[in-house]
Amino acid sequence: MKKKHKILVFLFFPIMLAAFLIYTISGFLVKSFNGLTMEEIVFHLKVPMKGTSNSMFKDYFKYAKWAYVIFIPALLLIAVIINGFKKIKESTAVLCSFITFAMTCLAYAICKFGKVMKIPSYIAGQLQKSDFLANNYVDPKKANISLPEEKRNLIYIYLESMESTYASKAHGGAMNEELIPELYQLARENIHFSNTDRLGGASVSLGSTWTTGAMFTQSTGLPLTLPLKSKRFKDGEFLPKFTAIGDILAENGYNQEIIVGSDLAFGGRKMFYESHGNYKIFDYKSAVNDGKLPPKYYKWWGFEDQKLFKFAKEELYRLAEKDEPFNLTLLTVDTHHIGGYKCELCGNEHENNYENVLSCSSKQVAKFLDWLKDQDFYENTTVVLVGDHPTMDNIYISDRYDGSVKRCVYNCFINPSKELKVHSDRLPNRNFNTFDIFPTTMAALGAKWDGSRLGIGTNLFSDDPTLNEKYGSEYIESELAKQASIYN
């Protein structure tokens, strides 16, 4: 076989393999993810990928297994045919036709991926610049923030993929039956901001649709929309020029800790919490290293929520014994896609596994709060419950969501500062975003500052309109899709 023929044969197989992978990954993203954006992919390319759950890879191979069963034997058959027939392996025209076919497959797969990820619109946005964030950003360092002399403790719970959509239609959700009755009741009995006159919540903007982006947004009042050309994150630095709630509380003497049931290194989360408040890290790895879990223990992403709340109680006893106020942040994980993790606490009241997990999560949160209310430190502790982002479980949500209500993340503010004036007419029918949660949480702790804004978020307890109410959600989204000068 001539050298050029060997090159043509050699090129055919990797091109076909690339086409196959891109095509099947595109199909997997469409079926299994809802809301995956190029902003998230670009961000993950700039931070370490440590701590990824192997369940994602398992789900992909489970989805694509029949494609592999057909594709691999087909490639082997083609290899046998090319090698077995002299006229084929020595014919430039025939081998070029193989390459043309392979390139056509690759081009089709790339186009499909581009359509799924909306790459053309993303690139169009990156070719434009916007000063929207810079012009509307209120730097917390310059806002003269002051906390009361008797500082309140904060327990902030990110509820993985928890959206108000899971409530029944009668209560403002999209479901035929109530999947989260305990969370619904908590919202009724406490402070709940809604986009309707029933259970609702916050919109989620570009840059906030995945967990790290959501944590960043709710902590800083800024969406995480990095320009494509931005540099990779340095070790120990996570956008250090921006001020997060952890920075403010650290300056005010708070002991801070975050507990998650996965490896916090995933998605740059550990970098964020260590560089913005010097939090004590309690994650899956530290639980194993500290002997709180057996060395080979691994469930779902690390350890499940029933252990998260168990560890949280132990840590709260320790934190409450100290003289300083504390900020304990939790992130649940059982309700993560795909399908959630059903532990032994979950029932079978619903036919769908994910619905049983959602109901179980609602019960576990309510039970944890019942325990909190019996503790001596509860009177001086504010609790914030917020969904991180809407679920990405496209398999589940596409079968049940009929578009009758807007999908919003759940929120509930429990036991805020007694000095805070709550205007009941400012709780329902609001157009707000998760970046408004940051100043609202600060207000719930009794903080005061110049104006009502921090980051680009607005204190929802105030009488001032949010940016969504001022500019409209569509305009804000269009501006966030452009290169933000503030990140440069």
Side-chain angles (χ1 to χ4, degrees):
M1 185 185 296
K2 295 179 181 179
K3 185 177 180 180
K4 66 177 182 180
H5 293 162
K6 288 182 179 179
I7 294 173
L8 289 174
V9 173
F10 175 80
L11 287 175
F12 174 78
F13 294 101
I15 292 172
M16 284 299 296
L17 180 60
F20 173 79
L21 288 173
I22 294 171
Y23 182 82
T24 53
I25 288 172
S26 298
F28 175 66
L29 294 178
V30 169
K31 185 175 181 180
S32 304
F33 287 78
N34 185 69
L36 183 65
T37 64
M38 278 302 298
E39 283 77 13
E40 180 178 354
I41 290 178
V42 169
F43 169 76
H44 279 293
L45 290 174
K46 298 180 184 300
V47 295
M49 287 297 288
K50 300 175 183 176
T52 308
S53 171
N54 57 14
S55 66
M56 291 293 179
F57 301 104
K58 291 179 180 177
D59 288 329
Y60 163 70
F61 286 113
K62 184 178 179 180
Y63 162 80
K65 64 181 180 181
W66 289 112
Y68 275 97
V69 168
I70 297 171
F71 177 75
I72 299 300
L75 268 190
L76 292 174
L77 179 61
I78 291 172
V80 170
I81 291 173
I82 292 175
N83 188 61
F85 292 87
K86 187 176 181 179
K87 289 184 178 180
I88 293 178
K89 66 182 180 181
E90 293 185 358
S91 171
T92 302
V94 173
L95 292 177
C96 282
S97 67
F98 273 99
I99 294 297
T100 301
F101 173 75
M103 291 299 294
T104 302
C105 291
L106 180 60
Y108 179 77
I110 291 173
C111 289
K112 181 178 175 64
F113 183 79
K115 184 178 180 180
V116 168
M117 296 307 304
K118 301 177 181 177
I119 291 177
S121 61
Y122 174 78
I123 293 174
Q126 289 298 299
L127 295 175
Q128 304 176 68
K129 292 185 179 181
S130 171
D131 292 326
F132 176 80
L133 291 180
N135 292 338
N136 289 281
Y137 179 67
V138 174
D139 189 346
K141 293 177 182 176
K142 301 176 182 178
N144 298 317
I145 299 173
S146 63
L147 286 163
E149 185 174 347
E150 185 180 357
K151 297 177 177 62
R152 299 186 64 76
N153 304 313
L154 173 64
I155 298 176
Y156 198 108
I157 307 179
Y158 289 99
L159 302 173
E160 173 63 50
S161 304
M162 188 58 69
E163 47 183 292
S164 299
T165 316
Y166 302 140
S168 66
K169 292 179 179 179
H171 293 156
M175 303 299 161
N176 293 324
E177 55 185 331
E178 184 60 63
L179 303 181
I180 50 171
E182 294 81 8
L183 290 177
Y184 169 71
Q185 194 62 30
L186 284 168
R188 284 195 61 190
E189 295 172 352
N190 296 282
I191 295 172
H192 169 70
F193 296 96
S194 176
N195 59 312
T196 70
D197 56 0
R198 295 179 294 170
L199 189 72
S203 300
V204 179
S205 68
L206 280 174
S208 312
T209 57
W210 72 100
T211 299
T212 307
M215 288 176 147
F216 179 82
T217 296
Q218 294 183 34
S219 297
T220 65
L222 276 171
L224 192 54
T225 53
L226 300 176
L228 184 60
K229 64 181 181 180
S230 58
K231 297 178 181 178
R232 280 185 60 83
F233 284 31
K234 296 179 181 178
D235 288 340
E237 286 191 1
F238 194 114
L239 300 174
K241 292 186 179 180
F242 294 132
T243 301
I245 189 171
D247 298 309
I248 299 169
L249 298 185
E251 289 177 1
N252 282 272
Y254 277 69
N255 288 311
Q256 303 192 92
E257 181 173 352
I258 178 168
I259 307 178
V260 301
S262 56
D263 184 348
L264 196 65
F266 174 65
R269 297 173 301 175
K270 186 176 182 180
M271 292 170 61
F272 174 64
Y273 282 99
E274 286 183 336
S275 59
H276 288 279
N278 195 29
Y279 286 68
K280 177 189 174 185
I281 306 301
F282 190 138
D283 63 355
Y284 167 71
K285 276 195 169 182
S286 61
V288 172
N289 293 338
D290 294 344
K292 293 184 177 292
L293 292 174
K296 294 185 179 181
Y297 189 92
Y298 194 90
K299 298 287 181 66
W300 198 225
W301 280 71
F303 61 78
E304 64 276 42
D305 287 346
Q306 61 174 308
K307 285 187 170 53
L308 176 84
F309 290 118
K310 173 180 177 292
F311 294 145
K313 292 176 184 179
E314 295 172 358
E315 292 302 295
L316 282 169
Y317 283 133
R318 183 185 64 80
L319 289 166
E321 290 177 354
K322 296 180 178 292
D323 295 330
E324 302 83 9
F326 63 78
N327 166 25
L328 178 66
T329 298
L330 307 177
L331 168 65
T332 64
V333 71
D334 287 2
T335 48
H336 200 286
H337 69 298
I338 301 167
Y341 177 77
K342 187 179 179 183
C343 70
E344 58 265 29
L345 298 178
C346 296
N348 294 300
E349 60 264 43
H350 309 290
E351 292 184 5
N352 183 275
N353 179 75
Y354 195 48
E355 292 181 345
N356 287 320
V357 175
L358 290 169
S359 293
C360 185
S361 180
S362 178
K363 290 182 178 67
Q364 288 191 65
V365 172
K367 188 175 180 180
F368 177 69
L369 289 171
D370 287 341
W371 173 85
L372 272 179
K373 292 173 184 177
D374 291 334
Q375 308 309 309
D376 294 337
F377 58 80
Y378 175 75
E379 185 177 350
N380 194 42
T381 300
T382 294
V383 183
V384 179
L385 307 175
V386 188
D388 58 350
H389 54 73
T391 184
M392 293 182 182
D393 197 330
N394 204 37
I395 296 173
Y396 171 77
I397 204 69
S398 62
D399 288 340
R400 285 161 176 76
Y401 177 64
D402 59 6
S404 58
V405 297
K406 183 177 181 179
R407 291 178 62 195
C408 298
V409 297
Y410 174 90
N411 74 89
C412 183
F413 292 78
I414 302 170
N415 201 27
S417 169
K418 302 296 186 294
E419 298 180 3
L420 185 66
K421 294 180 180 179
V422 181
H423 305 285
S424 58
D425 61 331
R426 296 293 287 157
L427 302 181
N429 300 312
R430 302 296 304 275
N431 185 0
F432 67 106
N433 210 299
T434 50
F435 46 69
D436 297 309
I437 300 296
F438 169 40
T440 306
T441 300
M442 291 301 302
L445 291 175
K448 299 183 184 302
W449 64 91
D450 298 337
S452 61
R453 298 247 306 281
L454 293 174
I456 64 166
T458 303
N459 172 16
L460 296 171
F461 290 110
S462 74
D463 292 328
D464 295 331
T466 66
L467 291 189
N468 281 37
E469 291 166 338
K470 184 178 179 180
Y471 294 106
S473 304
E474 290 185 8
Y475 173 76
I476 292 176
E477 286 296 288
S478 68
E479 290 301 301
L480 294 183
K482 302 173 185 176
Q483 270 200 61
S485 58
I486 194 171
Y487 286 108
N488 293 329

